[in-house]
Amino acid sequence: MSNPYKEIFAAPGAKGFSAAGFFARLPIAMAPIGIVAMLSQAHGEYWLAGAVSATYALTNALISPQISRAVDRVGQTAVVVPTTVVSVVAFIALIAATNQNWPVWTLFVSAFLAAAMPSIPALMRARWTELFRNRPELNTAFAFESAADELVYIAGASLSVGLAVALFPEAGMMVSTAFLALGTAAFIVQRGTEPKVRHVANAVSVGSAIRQRPVQIITLALIFVGSIFATAEVSAVAITKELGQPNAASLVIGVYAVGSFAVGLILGALNPRMALHRQLLIAVVAIALTSLPLLVAGSSVTLLAIAVFVSGIAISPTFITAFGLIERRVPESMLTEGVTWVMTGIGIGMALGAFVSGWVVDNYGSQNGFWASAAAGTIAVAIVALGQKSLAGDCDDGQACAALQPAG
């Protein structure tokens, strides 16, 4: 039996832009929790750390789809270069403001401007689509991207927290900013795989991708899935610190990725025949159920690590099915924007999760932070369950619906 992942990386340029894109998107995970780790250590207040992180993530959530819409219209290089420069400079200012104890307002302004960072995962999927449009290999490529996204979210967060705790508060953000600058530069210079700009006659009448009901449902659901990430990260940092083992936070957050990454790669290779909207419902149900053990796992680092490992297993399958649905329902000329809206949902969730869990930890203790995860998982299940009809293909926007069965 051939290896489907070996086949997609045999395409010219695939290895190069994939490797560069992996490092370029690490800041998506490193920056939000890196801001929390940096400011909570430098200022000693979780609410301030969560508020600045939320400012960055929420602003990025609002700006990123507009950046991606511009990318769909004029191309990746023309948009990504200037927005990345702005983001890198702003991150440097945020680090300096923290280190030099500048006024609090400078933290929020820097975080606001840093949000100009483009959505690398969306750019990656657009390049894979350019290589394998209307071919079965695209399913495998999207599965790989979803598994890689999940690994980036967890491994990136673990690296960011680990550097901040082991070295100095700003270490995680310094490395994150370096990845953004160097990784994006390496990605964008590979012009051979940059997607062509596709102009569609009815683009104006179609409008934004967020007007499509499936995009709305998936984006809203992933807001709450994203909040589970941030809640787990903030709570893990607080609990390990309370247990007298702050260095263990990096390990606890890191095990989040192990099971989920493996399950995601297996799912992409097997390509299950169940309809994608049903796969998504099963995945979010699993997320909700596996978040429950976290409520009683704060008595030791070992127990916490085990519970976090179990709670992460369904994350990658959720990503795979969510982006698979988006790829089948969004017009080709709007793919980057459609993917970005879903990434936006995750970013908003991480911002809200960081803020809410930080507030809960400050006011009710580190052991209660995971209640935000349990609540978010329940809400995500309700959203996907109520949206099954629309996700199955019952369009209300006048567009022809693509089949939602996995291709192959």
Side-chain angles (χ1 to χ4, degrees):
M1 181 178 179
S2 61
N3 183 341
Y5 294 103
K6 183 178 180 180
E7 294 176 6
I8 64 172
F9 283 109
K15 292 179 180 178
F17 81 74
S18 182
F22 180 84
F23 289 101
R25 62 181 158 182
L26 276 169
I28 295 175
M30 294 184 70
I33 189 62
I35 292 172
V36 172
M38 178 175 68
L39 291 177
S40 63
Q41 290 187 80
H43 291 270
E45 297 175 302
Y46 281 99
W47 75 267
L48 176 63
V52 175
S53 179
T55 297
Y56 159 75
L58 288 174
T59 304
N60 182 255
L62 295 174
I63 294 177
S64 190
Q66 312 312 317
I67 293 175
S68 291
R69 193 173 186 182
V71 167
D72 284 329
R73 293 182 175 181
V74 302
Q76 293 187 355
T77 300
V79 177
V80 172
V81 172
T83 55
T84 300
V85 170
V86 171
S87 183
V88 168
V89 172
F91 274 129
I92 293 173
L94 178 60
I95 295 169
T98 302
N99 182 264
Q100 299 298 314
N101 290 317
W102 291 355
V104 170
W105 66 266
T106 62
L107 301 175
F108 287 96
V109 171
S110 299
F112 177 84
L113 295 176
M117 184 174 71
S119 176
I120 297 297
L123 303 178
M124 294 283 290
R125 285 174 172 81
R127 293 204 178 201
W128 284 119
T129 302
E130 189 74 7
L131 288 176
F132 300 121
R133 192 181 305 277
N134 300 320
R135 292 170 55 184
E137 291 92 337
L138 184 59
N139 292 325
T140 302
F142 268 63
F144 173 81
E145 283 301 307
S146 295
D149 280 338
E150 192 275 336
L151 181 61
V152 163
Y153 272 108
I154 309 306
S158 177
L159 175 62
S160 187
V161 172
L163 290 170
V165 173
L167 300 178
F168 48 90
E170 300 85 3
M173 286 303 300
M174 291 177 66
V175 172
S176 173
T177 304
F179 280 147
L180 175 61
L182 300 178
T184 303
F187 176 81
I188 211 66
V189 296
Q190 300 182 59
R191 302 295 297 277
T193 53
E194 181 174 346
K196 300 176 182 177
V197 177
R198 286 178 166 78
H199 299 289
V200 180
N202 64 346
V204 175
S205 62
V206 171
S208 173
I210 197 61
R211 293 177 60 184
Q212 301 186 30
R213 184 58 59 82
V215 178
Q216 295 171 354
I217 294 170
I218 295 172
T219 299
L220 183 59
L222 263 64
I223 287 176
F224 293 96
V225 173
S227 69
I228 295 175
F229 297 162
T231 299
E233 292 163 0
V234 172
S235 298
V237 170
I239 290 175
T240 53
K241 182 177 180 180
E242 187 174 278
L243 292 173
Q245 302 180 60
N247 291 332
S250 178
L251 173 63
V252 171
I253 296 173
V255 300
Y256 210 171
V258 178
S260 185
F261 182 68
V263 171
L265 290 179
I266 292 172
L267 188 64
L270 294 178
N271 196 14
R273 301 306 304 171
M274 181 184 294
L276 288 177
H277 64 285
R278 294 196 180 96
Q279 290 186 45
L280 182 60
L281 179 59
I282 292 173
V284 293
V285 168
I287 288 177
L289 292 177
T290 55
S291 67
L292 297 179
L294 294 171
L295 301 176
V296 294
S299 58
S300 72
V301 171
T302 300
L303 187 60
L304 179 62
I306 293 173
V308 167
F309 171 82
V310 172
S311 70
I313 289 177
I315 298 296
S316 191
T318 299
F319 279 7
I320 292 172
T321 52
F323 286 113
L325 284 165
I326 292 296
E327 186 269 329
R328 288 161 174 77
R329 295 296 297 275
V330 175
E332 293 178 0
S333 62
M334 302 166 66
L335 178 61
T336 308
E337 184 192 356
V339 172
T340 302
W341 276 112
V342 177
M343 299 303 301
T344 290
I346 300 172
I348 292 174
M350 293 184 70
L352 294 177
F355 181 76
V356 172
S357 59
W359 181 84
V360 171
V361 167
D362 283 339
N363 290 276
Y364 299 100
S366 60
Q367 303 294 329
N368 291 309
F370 285 122
W371 279 103
S373 294
T378 302
I379 296 172
V381 170
I383 293 169
V384 175
L386 292 173
Q388 284 290 285
K389 185 177 180 180
S390 293
L391 295 177
D394 183 20
C395 292
D396 58 3
D397 57 6
Q399 302 294 319
C401 293
L404 296 184
Q405 300 287 346

